[in-house]
Amino acid sequence: MGHFIGLCFVLLVAGAGTTLFAPLLPLYQEAFGLGTGVAGLAASVYGITIIPAMLLAGPLTDRLGRGALLFPGVACFALGDLAFALATGLPWLIAGRLLHGLAMGAVFSPLVALASDLMERERSGLAALGAAVASMTGFGVGPLVTGLALHAGIAPARAPFLIHAGLMLIGAAFLVAPLRARHTAAALTSAPGSTGGQDDRGARRLALLGGVGGWAVGGALLVMLPILLLPLGGRDHPFLGGAALAAVNGAGVGAQLATWRWTPMRALALGALGEALGLGLLVAGLAAGSLPLALGAAVLIGLGLAAVHRGGLGVTIRATTAHRKGQALSLFLVGAYAAANFSTAAFGLLADAVGTVSALAAYAAVFCALLVATALRALAGLPAKIPRTAAVASITTPRP
């Protein structure tokens, strides 16, 4: 269990690094003269590197071992942090996002697969829950730290990134023991099908559909929320954007811990419905100029995203044999992060063209339909097709 906690710490710090810059977008807009569309594009270039990195990381971690890409990924995180800390213009921001995307793509799938390997004999479902909680906590801690730095005026564009670089280097030390433990227990995954679930492509496709819809909405929100809140008080209170992002992620983490007995498919379905409802309320809140309604809607989207993320990871792990686990997780995460980054860029450009509220309304029309379709399909009986062995069912069956 100690090794598992160490891996969750690394996931948390990695997640925090990818969202540190979000509360700084208004500051970058002012300092570097960026429009909403350009700011969204700068954020979305993350997808240029995270997607190919994840596509490669899955098969490589299955073939070469879980540790093959972890330490290079940590180094890329540190380099990206330095690029942000030294930023004097848009090219530096793009370089930082590209390096962070490469780093996250290299470490996320191997970390989740390694956690699943280590927990296989105890509660395999905890791997998905732990990965979702740790990464979502990190997504919330990142903007909170930057928001506090903005509020206090303590080098907000530099200090958070330098602190993060140091924490990632510390996290590298936490990887050594789990990798040794996994190597010692290599027999667990030496025979195809000896651990993990049975192959179920239909379940994996549904998880991917949910990941795409969930992250297209929630991922864009995690980047653009500080900008969306500017007309509702964000200009007068720079800390508001970071605090709102922290609340969104904090609510999601709390909900995951409170609903840990839910099956992955149930989490996927209810999370998708929650995000669809939250997105509709966010449109209404911005149109009415209501900060409480907008914040409440954002929190609901955060609740839904956390559930979709955990549910999608869990369904993928259950529906995949052990020797293909890294590859399957990579495909799920590629779909999720591709949707998040491309939708962020598209939303920013559309907002510049037709206005924020109109852009968000069009956005909601598309992705609410996708999320509701995912939820209905998940509720239609797919769980019965996913094998529920004693190992994987333990997430829903508390031990005495």
Side-chain angles (χ1 to χ4, degrees):
M1 182 62 75
H3 297 331
F4 177 70
I5 293 173
L7 293 176
C8 287
F9 170 79
V10 180
L11 277 168
L12 188 155
V13 176
T18 65
T19 56
L20 280 173
F21 84 107
L24 296 172
L25 280 176
L27 181 67
Y28 291 144
Q29 284 185 285
E30 183 178 352
F32 304 145
L34 309 178
T36 302
V38 175
L41 285 171
S44 67
V45 296
Y46 178 80
I48 294 175
T49 48
I50 192 174
I51 292 170
M54 281 187 168
L55 285 173
L56 291 173
L60 285 177
T61 194
D62 287 334
R63 183 178 303 175
L64 303 178
R66 305 306 188 204
L69 298 177
L70 290 178
F71 295 107
V74 169
C76 283
F77 261 122
L79 290 173
D81 289 330
L82 288 177
F84 276 112
L86 299 173
T88 56
L90 180 62
W92 288 89
L93 303 183
I94 292 175
R97 287 296 281 170
L98 289 173
L99 285 165
H100 276 181
L102 183 62
M104 195 64 166
V107 305
F108 198 97
S109 295
L111 282 172
V112 178
L114 178 57
S116 178
D117 294 340
L118 294 175
M119 297 301 292
E120 203 71 62
R121 283 178 175 172
E122 301 175 36
R123 297 182 179 181
S124 65
L126 283 179
L129 178 61
V133 169
S135 56
M136 292 301 295
T137 300
F139 294 152
V141 168
L144 179 62
V145 170
T146 308
L148 289 171
L150 277 167
H151 182 69
I154 305 175
R158 290 183 173 84
F161 297 105
L162 296 177
I163 292 171
H164 180 262
L167 289 175
M168 282 304 303
L169 295 177
I170 293 172
F174 286 102
L175 297 176
V176 176
L179 287 170
R180 286 178 178 171
R182 198 265 179 184
H183 179 72
T184 302
L188 286 174
T189 54
S190 58
S194 60
T195 59
Q198 299 177 11
D199 188 70
D200 188 331
R201 293 183 180 181
R204 290 202 304 271
R205 283 195 293 268
L206 181 59
L208 178 60
L209 185 66
V212 167
W215 276 98
V217 175
L221 183 75
L222 290 174
V223 173
M224 305 300 287
L225 185 58
I227 293 177
L228 294 177
L229 295 180
L230 285 177
L232 303 182
R235 290 190 177 89
D236 299 325
H237 304 285
F239 177 64
L240 179 60
L245 286 172
V248 167
N249 286 282
V253 170
Q256 290 308 295
L257 294 175
T259 61
W260 70 273
R261 295 185 180 183
W262 285 7
T263 63
M265 194 65 79
R266 183 181 182 190
L268 181 66
L270 296 184
L273 290 175
E275 278 200 84
L277 177 59
L279 184 56
L281 291 175
L282 182 60
V283 174
L286 292 177
S290 172
L291 179 61
L293 181 56
L295 289 176
V299 167
L300 184 56
I301 292 174
L303 293 172
L305 175 62
V308 166
H309 190 54
R310 195 258 283 189
L313 288 173
V315 168
T316 302
I317 289 173
R318 290 187 176 195
T320 309
T321 54
H323 68 293
R324 295 186 59 195
K325 193 185 301 178
Q327 182 179 5
L329 287 168
S330 288
L331 290 175
F332 169 77
L333 293 167
V334 163
Y337 285 116
N341 284 278
F342 293 139
S343 66
T344 298
F347 174 75
L349 293 173
L350 187 60
D352 278 346
V354 302
T356 300
V357 176
S358 297
L360 193 62
Y363 194 80
V366 173
F367 289 107
C368 282
L370 178 60
L371 289 166
V372 171
T374 300
L376 293 177
R377 187 175 175 191
L379 293 171
L382 263 178
K385 298 181 181 180
I386 299 178
R388 293 179 57 94
T389 64
V392 298
S394 58
I395 184 62
T396 59
T397 307
R399 294 189 173 187

